[in-house]
Amino acid sequence: MAMKRSGGGPTVTQQAAKFLGVSVLSGVVLAGLALPGIGAFGLVAKGSVEGFDEIPANLKTPPLSQRTTILDADGGEIAKVYSRDRTVVPLNEISPYMRKALVDIEDSRYYQHGAIDLKGVLRALNKNAQSGGVSEGASTLTQQYVKNVFIEEAGDDPEKVAVATQQTLGRKVKELKYAIQVEKELGKDRILNNYLNITFFGRQAYGVEAASQRYFTKHAKDLTLGESALLAGIVQSPSRYDPVNDPKEATRRRNTVLQRMAELKDITPAQAAAEQAKPLELKVSRPKSGCITAVDGAGFFCDYVRETFLNDPVFGKTKEARAKRWNQGGMTIRTTLDPQTQKSVQKSITDHVYQSDSVATAVSIVQPGTGKVLGMGQSRPYGFGDHQTQINLSADKSMGGSNYGFQVGSTFKPIVAAAALEQGTSPNQTYSSPYAMPYPDEVDTCTGTWKNSEGATVNNENRSEVGPYGMKEAIAKSVNTYFIQLVGDMGLCPVTKMAGKMGIKPAEGGKLSQYPAMALGGTDGMSPLTMASAYATFANRGTYCTPVLIESATGPDGKKLRVPQTKCSRAMSEQTADTVNTLLQGVVEDGTGKEAGLSGRDSAGKTGTTDERRAAWFVGYTPNLAGAVWVGGPGDKVEMENISIGGVYHDKVYGADTPGPIWRDAMTGALDGRPAASFDTVGIGGSDRATDTDKGGKTRPGDTGQGGNKHGGKPGANKPGGNKPGKHNPLPDFSVPELPTGILGGNSGNSGTGESAGQGGQKEQQ
């Protein structure tokens, strides 16, 4: 006696019969319904048949997720990244053996029946009724393809995957309706092609091309008969027939496929026997996905590209839309990474800092005038092992960087100098600059007044540093008390606004803290990329450009995608920038940064070492490159005294003796064989105002044939050759770029109130 459902009603067998009858009467040839004789599926049947006509006929096929390839500026591959390792190929690029093997073992009557196979379903119903369970299925390749579409649409969401694969009558009905529609619209060959591209072959390989590469390190079009039989056999159960984990079981399954092909006369018995006698002969390639595989230490640059994609609205209006697009992949992304610069960055890092050191270093190099990031690296590689990390020490927190960044020390002083010059202060302004002094009683901020209610004091690094000093000597020697007296007169609001115009912001987000210690870089933490981009403003004669890493991108269909463009705005006058260039040249010529100076090139920069030597910096630039180097404990907890870095012992670490040489070597290699451009400088003498005595007196390589334009001219007067921000230029133009038009408006910068302290007892070293 057949078993009834609880609560009465027809038996499961009666439901199946009713469903089959209604389907046939509706002109539908039912297949793929492997129903047991008893209620093993737990069917919720009422309404399933009646709802058949209400199911939409249009199957929305999601784009198949594929690999995305990330390229450098020369077109060389940096890394392949993917949510699912898949490369979609047309049917004519799949071995005929593979096509026959898959059809023969999965659905041998595929080209004879429609979307469903009545013989198959009746056979399955009979066997399952006899066994009392699901001993045989009858899904056609078309139905299997539809099921895979549901799974693909579910993505990595476990709940959605469970719904897409659940054994219910409702899902089977839906699968059936769509299968009929797909057969009508696509035809047999296209369905087979789609199936071979969507199905899972184990070991992270989706689609036959990825599977062919995974197991045999060859293209799908080159698969032999035996290799094709092996892959076709895997489809039924990728884990059970995994040829790497269980070669005996995989061999038996391969031989079953070969036997079936011979039975169907697609190959001869002799061919089958010859292939069955062979070993598997695998040539397995490991899955290589993600930025961990990036070349030349570019893992963190690669990761920044991913973060850019996930965060920039140009790639999608919502975070979810951008993530879905990234996971679907299939893109080719050409970046701004310059191979020569990246190799030089990585070599300098490994020459000076060991991966196993208690401290780390991070280096970022950008191109002034375009915002292009040409190099990015760090001593602790991208990974999960010892002395590895997934934190990008060059980036802000929002882009995968550290939580708070790193205090920048005296590398902030040039920003203070630029703000003062913009306010009309002469570079010859002198202050008494004693060795030690209290902070001013009151200092104006953008939102009120800071008061030294605790009697905080400041002092210079060396007792011999006693003024009076002018700005040039004070910045060369990194005299703390000079800059505290300067902000005491000027206030902190001009400094805050100047920093904002130069793209300087705390790595953790939010607004800049407005305390006098800000002038010494002793409040907020910054990232190396932020500092490199800020200093590029000086090299670019006062115009700041936001950093960009993506040059161009194409989608799976080969069509171009919109990509983020650099935004350039004037942060200061050319006069101010040229004056700062003159001041900072003095730092590398005879100041604290002598060890960082470049041979035969104009260069400028500033050292910085924070209180307790928890971070040391050198940020510098030439007219065509700007770079920042940070050295310190990734958690900002290592006091760099009596320490060995890169095999070199230091009793005390300074910005000059460790970051400086890293910057020098990285920049030297990056600039090798490229034009040696010159700065526009000013004369700093005894006058009350800065004078521009050198304007037009020096020319930069690449400026010839430009109509004799002097560099004291208007922005955009010089055109060194197609290097406008955002314009594709695979080879970096190392002449000084043209300033974009429409940039004179600038921005107001951050006004910021700040929250952290840092005003008490702040001592800022060189």
Side-chain angles (χ1 to χ4, degrees):
M1 181 175 175
M3 183 181 296
K4 291 188 176 183
R5 293 183 300 145
S6 69
T11 66
V12 171
T13 306
Q14 289 170 334
Q15 293 177 57
K18 177 185 177 184
F19 178 66
L20 180 59
V22 172
S23 299
V24 172
L25 289 173
S26 302
V28 177
V29 185
L30 175 62
L33 210 58
L35 300 179
I38 56 175
F41 281 167
L43 300 178
V44 225
K46 189 163 186 181
S48 295
V49 174
E50 291 84 354
F52 184 86
D53 290 334
E54 279 71 51
I55 298 172
N58 181 28
L59 176 67
K60 295 181 179 179
T61 307
L64 295 184
S65 58
Q66 303 182 63
R67 296 177 181 181
T68 285
T69 304
I70 300 177
L71 307 176
D72 62 31
D74 287 352
E77 184 176 309
I78 298 173
K80 280 188 170 69
V81 296
Y82 50 77
S83 171
R84 292 181 175 176
D85 186 5
R86 177 189 282 119
T87 301
V88 175
V89 291
L91 200 60
N92 62 7
E93 290 186 22
I94 300 172
S95 166
Y97 289 127
M98 183 67 216
R99 286 147 34 195
K100 288 181 181 297
L102 193 282
V103 170
D104 287 354
I105 197 62
E106 288 294 317
D107 185 3
S108 61
R109 300 183 63 255
Y110 176 63
Y111 282 99
Q112 280 76 54
H113 61 65
I116 50 181
D117 181 3
L118 184 58
K119 286 184 179 180
V121 76
L122 292 175
R123 182 181 64 249
L125 283 169
N126 182 51
K127 278 198 173 186
N128 293 337
Q130 291 175 3
S131 67
V134 185
S135 62
E136 181 172 329
S139 290
T140 63
L141 269 181
T142 305
Q143 289 173 274
Q144 291 180 47
Y145 166 64
V146 170
K147 179 179 177 180
N148 273 288
V149 169
F150 294 156
I151 295 171
E152 182 74 18
E153 193 171 34
D156 297 323
D157 187 322
E159 293 183 5
K160 290 182 179 179
V161 171
V163 171
T165 57
Q166 63 186 343
Q167 293 281 40
T168 65
L169 183 58
R171 185 187 67 77
K172 281 289 184 180
V173 171
K174 188 176 181 182
E175 182 183 288
L176 172 62
K177 180 74 175 276
Y178 285 137
I180 296 168
Q181 174 243 328
V182 165
E183 284 259 354
K184 183 189 298 183
E185 292 186 358
L186 299 183
K188 294 290 187 180
D189 282 348
R190 282 187 63 188
I191 293 170
L192 177 61
N193 187 201
N194 290 358
Y195 181 85
L196 283 166
N197 278 305
I198 199 173
T199 197
F200 181 53
F201 288 86
R203 297 204 160 257
Q204 300 182 33
Y206 289 82
V208 67
E209 176 69 14
S212 182
Q213 292 289 349
R214 180 73 70 253
Y215 295 109
F216 302 110
T217 316
K218 60 167 59 174
H219 292 296
K221 66 181 180 181
D222 300 321
L223 288 168
T224 65
L225 171 58
E227 292 165 349
S228 297
L230 176 69
L231 294 186
I234 288 174
V235 169
Q236 186 184 84
S237 179
S239 58
R240 178 181 176 184
Y241 300 123
D242 184 338
V244 178
N245 286 343
D246 196 340
K248 288 185 179 180
E249 188 70 12
T251 300
R252 282 194 289 269
R253 178 64 175 167
R254 178 201 65 178
N255 293 347
T256 298
V257 176
L258 290 165
Q259 183 63 34
R260 182 64 174 157
M261 294 178 75
E263 291 171 357
L264 294 169
K265 302 186 183 328
D266 280 325
I267 60 174
T268 66
Q271 284 178 300
E275 292 298 327
Q276 287 171 336
K278 293 179 181 179
L280 292 183
E281 297 180 338
L282 301 176
K283 189 178 180 182
V284 179
S285 63
R286 287 185 171 275
K288 292 184 177 180
S289 168
C291 295
I292 197 171
T293 65
V295 299
D296 296 324
F300 293 100
F301 181 93
C302 169
D303 190 66
Y304 203 105
V305 170
R306 182 182 69 88
E307 292 286 353
T308 299
F309 197 100
L310 295 177
N311 283 280
D312 198 303
V314 74
F315 295 113
K317 292 182 179 180
T318 66
K319 184 177 180 180
E320 290 73 20
R322 296 190 292 271
K324 185 175 182 180
R325 192 174 193 181
W326 176 263
N327 289 333
Q328 285 172 350
M331 297 176 288
T332 299
I333 299 176
R334 193 172 186 129
T335 71
T336 61
L337 190 77
D338 174 53
Q340 178 176 328
T341 300
Q342 182 63 25
K343 284 183 172 67
S344 183
V345 164
Q346 199 58 32
K347 183 178 186 305
S348 182
I349 287 171
T350 55
D351 285 350
H352 291 282
V353 182
Y354 294 158
Q355 180 178 335
S356 58
D357 284 342
S358 61
V359 296
T361 187
V363 182
S364 290
I365 294 181
V366 304
Q367 187 177 51
T370 67
K372 294 179 182 179
V373 181
L374 305 184
M376 179 184 286
Q378 62 192 51
S379 58
R380 297 196 178 176
Y382 191 98
F384 305 92
D386 292 340
H387 308 293
Q388 295 181 336
T389 182
Q390 288 184 286
I391 297 173
N392 187 348
L393 300 173
S394 284
D396 290 343
K397 178 183 177 181
S398 64
M399 300 298 286
S402 65
N403 285 339
Y404 306 106
F406 312 100
Q407 289 186 355
V408 297
S410 293
T411 61
F412 200 83
K413 289 173 181 172
I415 288 87
V416 178
L421 293 168
E422 282 289 281
Q423 296 295 305
T425 301
S426 168
N428 300 300
Q429 172 69 49
T430 61
Y431 286 104
S432 59
S433 311
Y435 163 69
M437 60 174 281
Y439 279 98
D441 292 336
E442 295 184 352
V443 180
D444 291 336
T445 70
C446 294
T447 57
T449 302
W450 175 87
K451 295 183 179 181
N452 188 6
S453 56
E454 298 179 0
T457 61
V458 62
N459 58 269
N460 299 325
E461 170 69 3
N462 300 312
R463 289 188 175 275
S464 61
E465 290 173 357
V466 177
Y469 291 118
M471 191 178 291
K472 184 175 184 180
E473 192 173 8
I475 208 164
K477 292 184 175 181
S478 202
V479 179
N480 293 334
T481 55
Y482 179 94
F483 286 90
I484 292 302
Q485 288 180 300
L486 180 59
V487 296
D489 284 350
M490 173 177 52
L492 292 171
C493 196
V495 179
T496 302
K497 290 183 176 181
M498 176 57 67
K501 291 178 182 180
M502 296 175 69
I504 295 176
K505 59 188 182 300
E508 63 182 310
K511 298 179 179 180
L512 290 167
S513 304
Q514 294 187 60
Y515 305 113
M518 173 193 204
L520 311 179
T523 52
D524 301 295
M526 315 293 178
S527 67
L529 180 57
T530 290
M531 294 305 292
S533 299
Y535 270 55
T537 308
F538 299 135
N540 197 34
R541 303 194 72 209
T543 296
Y544 168 74
C545 296
T546 57
V548 289
L549 290 83
I550 298 175
E551 190 82 65
S552 63
T554 56
D557 56 2
K559 293 182 180 179
K560 288 186 176 181
L561 304 177
R562 289 179 58 216
V563 298
Q565 303 292 316
T566 190
K567 297 176 182 177
C568 297
S569 57
R570 181 155 297 284
M572 66 192 75
S573 68
E574 291 182 359
Q575 173 84 6
T576 292
D578 293 344
T579 304
V580 173
N581 293 341
T582 306
L583 294 171
L584 295 185
Q585 272 190 294
V587 175
V588 298
E589 289 172 355
D590 53 16
T592 60
K594 281 195 293 185
E595 293 183 61
L598 301 180
S599 176
R601 290 182 181 273
D602 278 7
S603 61
K606 185 71 188 74
T607 56
T609 311
T610 67
D611 209 17
E612 298 177 328
R613 290 181 165 78
R614 294 178 186 268
W617 291 76
F618 187 85
V619 188
Y621 55 98
T622 68
N624 39 29
L625 280 187
V629 177
W630 161 87
V631 175
D636 203 30
K637 295 179 180 178
V638 179
E639 297 181 15
M640 293 186 289
E641 296 186 8
N642 300 314
I643 190 172
S644 179
I645 302 175
V648 177
Y649 174 79
H650 302 265
D651 56 351
K652 293 181 179 181
V653 170
Y654 293 92
D657 64 11
T658 304
I662 295 171
W663 182 90
R664 178 197 63 215
D665 293 352
M667 295 287 279
T668 297
L671 290 165
D672 184 41
R674 285 161 170 169
S678 300
F679 287 124
D680 291 280
T681 56
V682 302
I684 299 178
S687 64
D688 291 335
R689 298 288 296 174
T691 57
D692 194 355
T693 58
D694 271 353
K695 282 194 177 179
K698 295 183 181 180
T699 59
R700 299 169 172 145
D703 288 340
T704 57
Q706 303 299 326
N709 291 319
K710 294 183 179 181
H711 286 283
K714 296 180 180 180
N718 303 302
K719 299 180 180 179
N723 203 16
K724 294 181 180 180
K727 186 173 181 179
H728 177 64
N729 182 21
L731 288 173
D733 183 349
F734 279 84
S735 56
V736 177
E738 174 187 1
L739 297 179
T741 58
I743 59 176
L744 298 180
N747 58 32
S748 60
N750 297 325
S751 58
T753 58
E755 296 177 358
S756 62
Q759 66 268 34
Q762 178 67 34
K763 181 174 72 174
E764 192 56 40
Q765 285 92 26
Q766 298 169 356

